[in-house]
Amino acid sequence: MNKRILFLFSFLLLFSKIEAQQPQKLNSNQIYEKLQKLNFLGTALYIAAHPDDENTRLISYLANHVKARTAYLSLTRGDGGQNLIGPEIRELLGLIRTQELLAARNVDGGEQFFTRANDFGYSKHPKETLAFWNKEKVLSDVVWAIRRFKPDIIINRFNHRTPGTTHGHHTTSAMLGVEAFDLAANKTKYPEQLKHTKTWQPQRLFFNTSSWFYRSQEEFKKATEGKLSAVDIGVYYPLKGLSNNEVAAIASSQHLCQGFGRLTVRGSRTEYLEFLKGTKPKDKDDLFSGINTTWNRITGGGEIGDILYEVEKNFDFTNPAKHLPALLKAHDKISLLKDDYWRAIKLKQIKEIIYAAAGLYLEVTATNASSTPNGKVKLRLEVLNRSTITTYLDSYSILGNGIRILKPKEQQLENNKRVNFIDEVQLENKAYSDPYWLQKDWSLGMYTVQDQLKIGNPTSERPLQVEFHLNMWEHDISFTKDVVYRYAKRDKGELYEPFEVLPEVTTKLNNKVLIFSENKAQKVQVQVRAGKNNVSGKVRLEIPENWKVSPKEIPFSIAQKGDNVMVDFMVHPPVNQSEGIIKSIAVVNNKAYKKELIEINYSHIPKQSVLLDSKAKIVRLNIEKSGNYIGYIAGAGDKIPESLQQIGYNVLTIDPNEIDSENLHKFDAVVVGIRAYNTVDALKFKQRYLLDYVKKGGNMIVQYNTSGRRGVDVGAPFKLNISRDRVTDENAKVTVLAKNHSLLNFPNKIEATDFDGWVQERGLYFPNQWGKEFVPILSMNDEGETAKNGSLLVAKYGEGYYIYTGLSFFRELPAGVSGAYKLFANMLSIGKETIKVQQEIKE
């Protein structure tokens, strides 16, 4: 990559990150591209299962070359994946991946939708997938997306005819896409949706195929002979200075938590689409061939097209405002269209063009990032017209959850003369603005959303907006802006955050799993945070039966919004092993507040505020351990160090770059975090020191690493081949292969019940070949599959032990799974039986 391209890529990547949070400001090229899209009346929907499943090359091609309104329907938010940039997993990871998808669409020009399906983790067959997903609800959501978006063409990412050959979610997404293609036009199916939309029949359905889905190029050609459309998605966009492939790579690179950052590429490249259903294209290589995509498609559209095609033909890049009279005339005609769907879509598009062409700048900022449901919000409004066209601000309305306050402010907006207002709004029982799909309890496979109009939306509606009513050249037009919070930092410059409505007080249990390994009381800390000034009340803990807490409640008082106090309770465990849930509750003016505020703040996505139940799992665990000082080499991000500290280990994070021949001997064991050999380049240079540590008597535990087509080298002392074998059923039977091995007997006896209560999966990326030096400890398999014996392998190397495990401890320990803690303690204690005996003799 030459310096110019590298600079361009870096600039665009930064630009897309900034755009994720700051208001969009279109240049002349972008206005013209928006105009081209305004004049194309065709729609495409791409369907797959997860964030990062989408083919950004094809989405970008359809949105930027064809100019179609294009969307990606991801059945899930990717909640079951792993996180390369932080510790968030499950629903919090799904929130990050949702925002990364929106960032990708901001780059490639698409839109984004979802269903209520919850990504529960890898599955091997649609049958397994649909055991967790409610098929009727997910299918209805796909139908709802089709009826609402009204695509002319639908493209499946995966093959619906090959269940069991790939991720079950993938195949299921394709199967549901095929089924929904017909159901969307059937008014007897999901009739409750028809209160808000109409039935719709897409014109054609494709499968975005390639030889990748087949065993060979020959098999691919044989299976698809005469069925393929081919499009060259390597086209170059002079207005962008980028090829479609470059745009797609930048879009794909927004998936940072999945490690999808990649180099841009250029040049011709063919995408293949297999025709499945509907009307075949007259020109097989033009996906919209035979579909009317002009303004003549809709009644009354012809005269609108006459105006707008002329603007496009004679567009003035140096003075876009020149076209405002024609654009405003077209706007008025669009507003009179009888077709509800096209009227709404095209009004939104032409308003965006008018706004940019006039150089309008309308912004509403709150003086604080949040308010409470009945709080007062001070607003700063900025209005600026940078065109010479006669424009008046007639008034503005404050909108949101029943609030509509009309503010008469008729005032002429002179060219480039900024007008500022200060206003204040009193909220009235405003609902919290956190993600709508996380507001009700959900299951492993499905989120609970009952409001039909919210289903599929990527985010919650913003809680507060201002609608500006303008008169431009004697044409009435309005623009709606979200209220945002804008501020600056000296080392970062201007920053934007979404404005939120949050509770008056939230609480947080500092540890999400509380392990009591002895029959002793422990201090449990609760953080109480104020959502407004001058909050006071009492906080208490709800604990399971047979547990005790003192005191019963603790008063608190916080003077300043955003500040917090810590209160300490003493929790007394029962004598015997026990598990349950502990909850923290704050009471203010006789109202109970049971939520924790979680803020997710990465530079590449807008700040996210999430409200979840303030609770933790509490476990009385009879556990023994040998050794205390543990070194941890972080990989792709997990919470295992914190979990080990919960049961009394002293854990020190090791900087891989600082590993040498002298600084490992002090550790009783060294643990390598998940995917470390995939993500930490320094390990390949430091492996000799780690193996030397083992050889001299150390204990090294390596957790799972992914194995792509090129495999992965984890630097084991003996032959070890990491495969893609996994056991996705968390309840799969576990068979002991080495019953008498110390790993299952010291210092804790591992029983069959220790594998009860595991979450999401047993494990992943097990080795399938290993040297004779390794001892396989356990065997397990999913239904209908052969036994997988590589989940836990132990080898003596010199005076020490090397352990490789694909068991999903990174999920089990943070979930408080008792048996997982006991087994991990045994792994950390391996080889210390003799030391334990010697200590007992001395005592």
Side-chain angles (χ1 to χ4, degrees):
M1 178 181 288
N2 62 42
K3 290 182 179 180
R4 187 190 72 81
I5 294 297
L6 181 60
F7 170 79
L8 183 61
F9 175 74
S10 301
F11 172 78
L12 284 167
L13 189 57
L14 175 63
F15 179 77
S16 68
K17 292 179 181 180
I18 292 172
E19 283 290 294
Q21 302 182 60
Q22 293 190 356
Q24 191 178 48
K25 301 167 187 176
L26 302 179
N27 58 40
S28 291
N29 285 2
Q30 292 169 317
I31 295 171
Y32 181 71
E33 290 176 315
K34 296 283 186 184
L35 182 61
Q36 290 178 308
K37 295 191 76 169
L38 177 66
N39 282 336
F40 188 91
L41 279 71
T43 308
L45 181 64
Y46 199 88
I47 299 178
H50 310 106
D52 71 36
D53 280 346
E54 83 274 32
N55 184 342
T56 54
R57 297 180 300 273
L58 192 52
I59 290 174
S60 178
Y61 174 85
L62 291 168
N64 296 296
H65 180 73
V66 179
K67 306 301 180 185
R69 185 182 179 220
T70 307
Y72 174 42
L73 173 60
S74 176
L75 266 58
T76 76
R77 296 176 186 268
D79 329 76
Q82 284 86 50
N83 185 358
L84 290 179
I85 62 173
E88 297 88 358
I89 58 174
R90 293 301 309 152
E91 63 278 353
L92 298 181
L93 175 59
L95 190 62
I96 294 172
R97 298 188 74 182
T98 294
Q99 291 299 322
E100 289 181 343
L101 271 175
L102 291 172
R105 299 294 80 77
N106 185 57
V107 172
D108 63 32
E111 299 177 45
Q112 186 63 52
F113 299 111
F114 296 94
T115 74
R116 288 171 288 181
N118 187 347
D119 179 3
F120 56 85
Y122 192 87
S123 73
K124 297 177 178 177
H125 197 280
K127 180 181 176 181
E128 180 186 353
T129 299
L130 295 174
F132 292 92
W133 293 355
N134 182 313
K135 181 187 175 182
E136 275 304 299
K137 288 184 178 180
V138 181
L139 179 58
S140 76
D141 292 355
V142 179
V143 169
W144 169 247
I146 294 171
R147 287 174 172 174
R148 182 170 57 160
F149 192 63
K150 302 192 185 309
D152 297 303
I153 65 173
I154 294 177
I155 303 170
N156 279 343
R157 181 68 178 110
F158 298 105
N159 193 343
H160 66 288
R161 298 158 297 200
T162 54
T165 61
T166 184
H167 195 328
H169 295 183
H170 292 169
T171 310
T172 301
S173 72
M175 292 167 64
L176 295 180
V178 171
E179 195 169 348
F181 181 84
D182 295 320
L183 293 182
N186 188 336
K187 65 182 180 181
T188 68
K189 299 297 182 181
Y190 314 113
E192 69 280 359
Q193 297 178 1
L194 301 180
K195 299 175 185 176
H196 310 288
T197 189
K198 297 177 182 178
T199 58
W200 180 255
Q201 180 57 66
Q203 291 291 305
R204 52 193 64 137
L205 174 67
F206 296 97
F207 161 41
N208 184 194
T209 188
S210 73
S211 59
W212 188 90
F213 291 96
Y214 296 84
R215 287 176 292 186
S216 67
Q217 185 71 36
E218 293 72 23
E219 187 175 321
F220 167 59
K221 184 176 180 181
K222 180 180 178 182
T224 57
E225 191 74 40
K227 301 177 182 178
L228 294 182
S229 295
V231 293
D232 182 356
I233 50 83
V235 293
Y236 175 67
Y237 303 126
L239 292 175
K240 298 180 186 294
L242 295 168
S243 71
N244 186 72
N245 286 331
E246 289 173 297
V247 174
I250 296 169
S252 181
S253 292
Q254 304 308 304
H255 295 294
L256 297 185
C257 72
Q258 297 303 293
F260 263 52
R262 57 191 177 96
L263 291 172
T264 57
V265 294
R266 287 143 293 280
S268 179
R269 177 166 179 169
T270 301
E271 284 287 338
Y272 295 99
L273 296 103
E274 179 186 351
F275 175 79
L276 298 177
K277 275 190 173 188
T279 59
K280 285 188 176 182
K282 293 181 179 179
D283 176 353
K284 67 182 180 66
D285 295 334
D286 177 358
L287 304 183
F288 282 91
S289 177
I291 299 172
N292 186 354
T293 58
T294 71
W295 277 102
N296 288 320
R297 175 175 186 161
I298 52 178
T299 302
E303 56 186 32
I304 298 170
D306 290 342
I307 298 170
L308 294 176
Y309 293 137
E310 186 68 20
V311 174
E312 181 182 343
K313 179 181 178 181
N314 299 295
F315 187 75
D316 189 336
F317 286 88
T318 61
N319 182 25
K322 166 184 173 181
H323 304 292
L324 284 171
L327 291 169
L328 288 163
K329 184 179 179 181
H331 166 269
D332 290 351
K333 290 183 178 294
I334 291 171
S335 66
L336 297 175
L337 288 173
K338 293 182 179 180
D339 188 307
D340 295 342
Y341 170 76
W342 285 115
R343 183 176 68 248
I345 297 303
K346 294 304 173 182
L347 271 177
K348 180 180 178 181
Q349 290 179 341
I350 199 168
K351 279 185 179 184
E352 190 175 18
I353 294 169
I354 291 170
Y355 182 87
L360 286 173
Y361 190 82
L362 307 173
E363 184 174 80
V364 190
T365 60
T367 54
N368 285 287
S370 67
S371 182
T372 56
N374 291 290
K376 289 184 178 180
V377 184
K378 190 174 182 180
L379 302 176
R380 295 188 177 123
L381 297 87
E382 179 180 341
V383 183
L384 178 63
N385 169 36
R386 288 171 287 195
S387 74
T388 57
I389 194 167
T390 303
T391 302
Y392 290 87
L393 171 64
D394 284 345
S395 63
Y396 62 87
S397 306
I398 301 175
L399 314 175
N401 199 35
I403 301 168
R404 185 177 181 90
I405 304 172
L406 194 65
K407 301 284 184 177
K409 294 285 181 183
E410 184 173 353
Q411 181 172 348
Q412 184 170 356
L413 301 176
E414 298 181 33
N415 176 254
N416 212 28
K417 295 292 181 68
R418 188 176 62 181
V419 178
N420 292 102
F421 301 103
I422 300 294
D423 210 333
E424 190 173 63
V425 59
Q426 175 75 54
L427 302 183
E428 298 178 3
N429 295 315
K430 195 83 176 70
Y432 300 143
S433 57
D434 60 320
Y436 71 88
W437 64 96
L438 299 178
Q439 292 174 355
K440 294 183 181 294
D441 290 340
W442 59 88
S443 69
L444 181 62
M446 294 293 297
Y447 285 112
T448 303
V449 183
Q450 295 170 334
D451 186 340
Q452 185 66 54
L453 293 177
K454 290 182 179 178
I455 292 173
N457 292 343
T459 60
S460 293
E461 290 184 1
R462 290 291 82 211
L464 206 56
Q465 298 174 312
V466 171
E467 185 176 52
F468 294 88
H469 308 279
L470 274 61
N471 183 283
M472 303 179 70
W473 203 57
E474 299 186 352
H475 293 264
D476 292 328
I477 189 169
S478 63
F479 300 94
T480 301
K481 295 293 178 180
D482 294 332
V483 174
V484 296
Y485 176 57
R486 180 169 67 110
Y487 62 104
K489 285 188 175 181
R490 294 191 177 201
D491 60 337
K492 295 182 183 299
E494 185 177 60
L495 299 171
Y496 281 77
E497 290 181 11
F499 172 78
E500 307 285 8
V501 176
L502 301 171
E504 293 182 4
V505 63
T506 54
T507 65
K508 176 184 177 181
L509 286 154
N510 279 357
N511 293 307
K512 296 310 174 192
V513 176
L514 299 162
I515 305 292
F516 290 72
S517 58
E518 298 177 307
N519 188 24
K520 294 180 181 179
Q522 285 188 28
K523 181 171 67 176
V524 174
Q525 287 193 315
V526 178
Q527 182 186 96
V528 185
R529 181 186 185 278
K532 68 174 187 178
N533 293 336
N534 301 315
V535 176
S536 60
K538 295 180 179 180
V539 63
R540 68 174 189 267
L541 291 181
E542 282 187 0
I543 58 174
E545 191 176 352
N546 299 326
W547 293 71
K548 295 180 181 179
V549 61
S550 62
K552 295 294 184 184
E553 59 184 22
I554 299 174
F556 68 88
S557 181
I558 307 175
Q560 188 171 346
K561 174 182 177 179
D563 199 2
N564 60 74
V565 296
M566 301 296 295
V567 298
D568 296 339
F569 294 90
M570 293 302 293
V571 174
H572 304 257
V575 175
N576 298 320
Q577 192 157 309
S578 175
E579 294 185 3
I581 298 296
I582 185 171
K583 299 179 180 180
S584 59
I585 300 171
V587 179
V588 177
N589 296 326
N590 296 318
K591 182 176 180 180
Y593 293 87
K594 302 181 179 181
K595 295 293 184 180
E596 172 188 352
L597 173 63
I598 301 168
E599 295 180 326
I600 300 174
N601 202 359
Y602 291 101
S603 62
H604 67 299
I605 60 174
K607 181 180 178 182
Q608 301 296 298
S609 298
V610 192
L611 296 171
L612 298 179
D613 290 342
S614 184
K615 63 183 182 180
K617 187 173 182 179
I618 192 166
V619 180
R620 169 67 174 100
L621 175 62
N622 292 317
I623 189 171
E624 297 288 338
K625 55 189 178 65
S626 184
N628 177 62
Y629 198 38
I630 309 301
Y632 200 88
I633 301 172
D638 59 57
K639 295 185 177 182
I640 286 182
E642 298 93 323
S643 299
L644 295 179
Q645 289 167 350
Q646 279 274 303
I647 55 174
Y649 284 104
N650 184 1
V651 183
L652 176 69
T653 299
I654 300 172
D655 182 347
N657 294 298
E658 296 180 0
I659 294 174
D660 59 31
S661 59
E662 301 297 327
N663 60 7
L664 295 177
H665 68 275
K666 59 189 174 183
F667 295 111
D668 294 311
V670 171
V671 181
V672 182
I674 62 172
R675 299 177 70 178
Y677 290 92
N678 299 127
T679 60
V680 182
D681 289 338
L683 282 179
K684 71 179 75 169
F685 307 111
K686 302 294 184 176
Q687 190 67 17
R688 67 183 188 276
Y689 299 124
L690 289 164
L691 292 182
D692 186 59
Y693 159 77
V694 177
K695 196 171 186 178
K696 292 177 179 178
N699 177 12
M700 180 178 177
I701 300 168
V702 179
Q703 298 178 85
Y704 97 94
N705 289 266
T706 60
S707 175
R709 292 186 174 185
R710 297 180 182 177
V712 60
D713 181 9
V714 297
F718 309 110
K719 176 184 177 182
L720 188 67
N721 181 65
I722 310 302
S723 75
R724 300 181 71 84
D725 287 351
R726 61 201 303 161
V727 176
T728 60
D729 182 359
E730 63 268 35
N731 299 310
K733 182 182 177 181
V734 177
T735 301
V736 174
L737 298 176
K739 188 177 297 185
N740 297 321
H741 199 284
S742 64
L743 201 58
L744 299 177
N745 293 280
F746 177 81
N748 303 286
K749 178 70 173 177
I750 302 299
E751 309 283 356
T753 54
D754 289 313
F755 294 97
D756 293 343
W758 285 50
V759 298
Q760 188 159 326
E761 60 200 347
R762 288 293 189 200
L764 61 170
Y765 293 97
F766 298 162
N768 61 356
Q769 295 178 15
W770 50 84
K772 65 182 186 311
E773 296 85 355
F774 281 104
V775 177
I777 304 297
L778 304 171
S779 178
M780 59 191 72
N781 58 273
D782 284 321
E783 183 181 356
E785 294 193 354
T786 58
K788 305 294 185 289
N789 297 340
S791 64
L792 181 56
L793 301 171
V794 185
K796 190 84 164 66
Y797 180 60
E799 298 300 316
Y801 290 86
Y802 178 96
I803 299 174
Y804 188 91
T805 179
L807 293 171
S808 58
F809 289 108
F810 74 103
R811 297 194 192 281
E812 313 313 322
L813 298 192
V817 178
S818 301
Y821 273 93
K822 291 169 64 178
L823 183 54
F824 209 99
N826 281 16
M827 292 194 302
L828 293 171
S829 303
I830 193 169
K832 297 180 174 59
E833 298 96 323
T834 304
I835 297 173
K836 180 83 170 178
V837 170
Q838 291 173 347
Q839 288 175 340
E840 289 174 350
I841 291 172
K842 288 180 181 180
E843 292 173 359

